[in-house]
Amino acid sequence: MLSFDSRRKVVDSLKFGRKQEKGKFNEDFANSISDLIKSIKLNNQEAKSNGQLEESDADAIPFTLFTYLCQYAIQSGNSFLWAMALLQWNCMSRSQNIDDLKFSNFSLCEDAIVVKFDRTKMDKEGKKTTPKHTYANPNQFEICLFTALGFYFMELNATWCIQREYLFINVGASAGSAAANY
């Protein structure tokens, strides 16, 4: 069983989403949040006493929640969030690595888009970075990286200028600014 903190993070993300939507979605969730937290705490104590508790430093986002995030990005017209989230998911990387991607970091390889980072947290010089192959998902467009990038590039095209170097960082903005907005 996941730790209380892990499950609380999911609840916190739902609360944040509700706040972003000005309380418009899921009235049942709003009415039952305190009972949900109490239940999570109780289940956590029970699992801990039985030695069934998994604890880790970083918790992965559940796939179902990730899919909902992508659906929310589509419904709200936020192609930036959609493309950033799918690139991060498909490349299994930190948002900071996605933040400073350029067109030069992308290449084609048969049926895949290949992403090669210039550097990572563990490899500041970029000598050991490995290419990440990403694929389309024709069965679920909301989690299809190719579709999300297509929409993002169409939107970006309207404001593109020759001085722009990065896909997600605006001209004149500092590195990390896109990851902070994400």
Side-chain angles (χ1 to χ4, degrees):
M1 176 179 284
L2 294 174
S3 70
F4 170 74
D5 282 341
S6 299
R7 291 180 286 162
R8 182 195 44 78
K9 289 175 188 176
V10 173
V11 172
D12 287 348
S13 65
L14 290 169
K15 286 165 76 175
F16 176 77
R18 188 170 192 281
K19 181 180 173 186
Q20 291 296 103
E21 287 295 306
K22 296 172 184 55
K24 293 179 189 168
F25 82 94
N26 204 333
E27 195 64 35
D28 291 336
F29 173 74
N31 295 333
S32 62
I33 189 70
S34 62
D35 291 337
L36 181 62
I37 296 291
K38 286 177 191 172
S39 174
I40 290 173
K41 284 182 180 177
L42 183 64
N43 287 342
N44 187 70
Q45 290 170 348
E46 196 174 295
K48 193 172 189 174
S49 66
N50 294 332
Q52 300 171 330
L53 194 62
E54 292 179 28
E55 296 198 44
S56 61
D57 291 335
D59 300 312
I61 183 173
F63 182 69
T64 304
L65 184 58
F66 176 73
T67 303
Y68 288 144
L69 173 78
C70 291
Q71 290 169 349
Y72 169 78
I74 294 166
Q75 290 169 356
S76 64
N78 191 340
S79 64
F80 170 83
L81 171 62
W82 192 23
M84 268 295 264
L86 279 165
L87 270 168
Q88 188 175 354
W89 184 273
N90 282 273
C91 293
M92 294 181 289
S93 67
R94 301 161 33 101
S95 60
Q96 182 58 46
N97 293 344
I98 303 302
D99 181 273
D100 60 0
L101 285 176
K102 307 173 211 165
F103 276 115
S104 62
N105 296 108
F106 291 84
S107 61
L108 294 175
C109 178
E110 295 184 20
D111 62 342
I113 294 176
V114 180
V115 180
K116 180 130 173 35
F117 299 109
D118 292 331
R119 64 190 154 282
T120 64
K121 180 180 180 181
M122 300 303 291
D123 184 10
K124 303 275 187 218
E125 296 178 15
K127 291 182 180 179
K128 296 179 184 177
T129 60
T130 57
K132 308 287 186 179
H133 289 71
T134 63
Y135 299 91
N137 186 338
N139 299 319
Q140 250 183 305
F141 79 92
E142 62 269 15
I143 57 168
C144 178
L145 176 62
F146 290 30
T147 305
L149 285 174
F151 273 86
Y152 180 70
F153 291 149
M154 283 190 302
E155 230 176 74
L156 190 62
N157 188 46
T159 59
W160 189 265
C161 67
I162 198 70
Q163 293 86 5
R164 188 173 186 129
E165 184 178 1
Y166 299 100
L167 297 180
F168 296 104
I169 301 173
N170 291 326
V171 175
S174 61
S177 61
N181 289 336
Y182 171 70

